[in-house]
Amino acid sequence: MDIFRLFIISLMPVLKMVFYVFYPALIGCGLADTMTLEGLADLWFLPVNVLITCVIGSILGWILVIVTKPPRHLWGLVISCTSAANLGNMLLIILPALCEEKNNPFGGVASTCSANGKAYASLSLAIQIIYIWSVLYFLLRMYANNEVKETNSNNSIIVAANGCTRDVLHDPVGLPQIHNDGNQKVSTTVKFKQLFMKIMRSENLRKIFAPATIAAIVGFLIGIATPIRKTFIGDNAPLRVIYSATELIGNAGIPSITLIVGANLLKGLSGSGVGPSVIIGILIIRNIFLPISGIGVIKAAKHLSLVDEDSFYLFTLLIQYAIPPAMNIGTISQMLGSGESEFSMIMLWNYIVAILTLTFWIVFYMWLVI
């Protein structure tokens, strides 16, 4: 087990490179290259479908934690594992691989199919990343704080000074305060300025705008703005070298993420404090309930003419419901220092079971849409 621990520790620099460099480059280039204003209008239901999967998974996760009653600091982890899927490298591997098969089940030219698959995967990944770092991060942090909260944290610390008392929790030392004694009025402009500066310095805001989120925004802007797109993308683009270099860096993202997935699965062998009932519940939700609910959602969307009849597009929408949990949940757990071994155990069993279930759902979904 010492060798395993050293192996995982050796991957920490790779984790940082993935978070700050490889993943943002992969997402930004994927969106910039494949996403246009017309394409975004045609694919509007795809990001909506990603959010629907997250909502359904979150509801089922809430039910699971109420029924199984795991330790409270793991509630956020359980809900996150049922709501967010690994739409990054899984779709980027599965969709192009199906297109490049000799007998392409979806028809058409393999290069066009692969380009469409890359666009679907990049857009799905961008929406998922924003959801994870804007919603699940706060959920995980909220419940992780319960693990380290001291028993007297709800009591105010009263400090006596010069014959008077001060409530440190409500008037922290060192924080500039604005006092209004009735003779001095604070202008509305000053209040808004202070509020704006407080928001800009907020740690929460910095976490929402993670590198991957910023890369998704930049990729969208480059893709939909034709003049900027022609500057970076194309054989005759003047700044093509910048895009090519960034794309080359982003190509290291998938093998690096796969390596980190393997390390997390390896860590799961050491065991954790999560109960079997929780693991079984997550497996049932991710491999049975969500894929079945996806069929109902896409059937309803097709009946209401919200999606096109393109079989490859329909397959992509369906397969989003059958993907195992997202790796970024583990990244957040490591950052918060809570639930790392539990997440590794959950990932281990999910990816073992996914060998069978994901294969089944891929075949079934292809039969359903073709």
Side-chain angles (χ1 to χ4, degrees):
M1 296 308 293
D2 290 336
I3 298 177
F4 294 163
R5 190 177 296 108
L6 290 174
F7 174 64
I8 293 171
I9 293 174
S10 67
L11 287 179
M12 290 304 295
V14 179
L15 178 63
K16 292 182 180 179
M17 289 292 292
V18 169
F19 180 72
Y20 289 105
V21 181
F22 296 155
Y23 229 35
L26 180 67
I27 295 172
C29 288
L31 289 174
D33 185 31
T34 58
M35 191 54 55
T36 61
L37 192 59
E38 296 79 10
L40 185 61
D42 295 334
L43 302 179
W44 70 270
F45 188 77
L46 192 145
V48 173
N49 189 62
V50 173
L51 295 178
I52 292 175
T53 65
C54 295
V55 171
I56 295 176
S58 297
I59 294 173
L60 295 175
W62 276 110
I63 296 174
L64 177 62
V65 297
I66 292 173
V67 172
T68 59
K69 294 181 174 60
R72 191 166 180 82
H73 69 273
L74 296 179
W75 282 30
L77 179 64
V78 173
I79 296 170
S80 299
C81 288
T82 58
S83 64
N86 191 4
L87 298 182
N89 54 328
M90 294 296 287
L91 288 184
L92 287 170
I93 293 172
I94 293 173
L95 298 182
L98 291 174
C99 292
E100 293 169 5
E101 285 289 328
K102 185 176 181 180
N103 297 320
N104 183 356
F106 302 104
V109 182
S111 59
T112 303
C113 179
S114 296
N116 290 336
K118 187 178 179 181
Y120 301 158
S122 299
L123 183 57
S124 302
L125 176 59
I127 301 302
Q128 182 80 289
I129 285 291
I130 294 173
Y131 169 77
I132 289 175
W133 287 99
S134 61
V135 177
L136 294 187
Y137 172 79
F138 295 109
L139 184 68
L140 284 163
R141 192 181 69 171
M142 179 179 66
Y143 284 107
N145 288 338
N146 291 330
E147 187 178 14
V148 296
K149 187 182 295 183
E150 297 179 356
T151 56
N152 61 345
S153 61
N154 293 326
N155 299 324
S156 299
I157 303 174
I158 307 299
V159 179
N162 298 325
C164 63
T165 60
R166 170 181 288 178
D167 190 337
V168 176
L169 293 183
H170 297 88
D171 185 15
V173 178
L175 185 65
Q177 303 290 320
I178 296 178
H179 300 283
N180 188 355
D181 56 4
N183 299 324
Q184 181 181 1
K185 292 184 179 180
V186 180
S187 66
T188 305
T189 305
V190 174
K191 290 181 180 179
F192 275 113
K193 182 179 178 181
Q194 290 181 337
L195 179 61
F196 175 76
M197 293 303 297
K198 183 177 180 180
I199 294 174
M200 292 303 294
R201 294 171 181 171
S202 172
E203 180 184 356
N204 297 338
L205 186 65
R206 290 198 298 269
K207 295 303 181 183
I208 291 177
F209 288 97
T213 307
I214 297 174
I217 296 173
V218 173
F220 270 123
L221 294 177
I222 294 176
I224 64 178
T226 304
I228 303 177
R229 180 186 179 86
K230 291 181 178 179
T231 304
F232 289 94
I233 301 174
D235 295 335
N236 300 321
L239 299 180
R240 182 174 180 269
V241 64
I242 297 177
Y243 173 81
S244 299
T246 307
E247 185 180 33
L248 185 63
I249 294 173
N251 288 337
I254 293 178
S256 299
I257 295 167
T258 305
L259 186 64
I260 294 173
V261 171
N264 275 274
L265 299 183
L266 192 64
K267 189 176 180 181
L269 294 174
S270 61
S272 69
V274 63
S277 60
V278 177
I279 296 177
I280 294 173
I282 294 174
L283 291 174
I284 293 174
I285 290 173
R286 288 235 63 100
N287 297 285
I288 299 177
F289 288 166
L290 274 174
I292 292 175
S293 66
I295 297 174
V297 171
I298 303 307
K299 285 286 188 181
K302 188 177 178 181
H303 178 72
L304 297 173
S305 301
L306 299 178
V307 296
D308 296 331
E309 295 292 333
D310 180 72
S311 59
F312 188 49
Y313 180 52
L314 292 175
F315 172 80
T316 303
L317 296 175
L318 286 167
I319 201 65
Q320 289 175 345
Y321 290 85
I323 302 294
M327 266 303 304
N328 281 293
I329 301 172
T331 303
I332 297 175
S333 296
Q334 291 177 347
M335 292 173 61
L336 298 175
S338 174
E340 296 177 64
S341 59
E342 288 81 3
F343 175 75
S344 300
M345 178 64 76
I346 292 171
M347 287 286 287
L348 176 65
W349 284 105
N350 268 276
Y351 277 81
I352 289 175
V353 174
I355 296 173
L356 299 176
T357 58
L358 185 58
T359 304
F360 167 78
W361 287 115
I362 288 175
V363 174
F364 181 77
Y365 287 154
M366 285 195 296
W367 171 81
L368 197 64
V369 301
I370 296 176

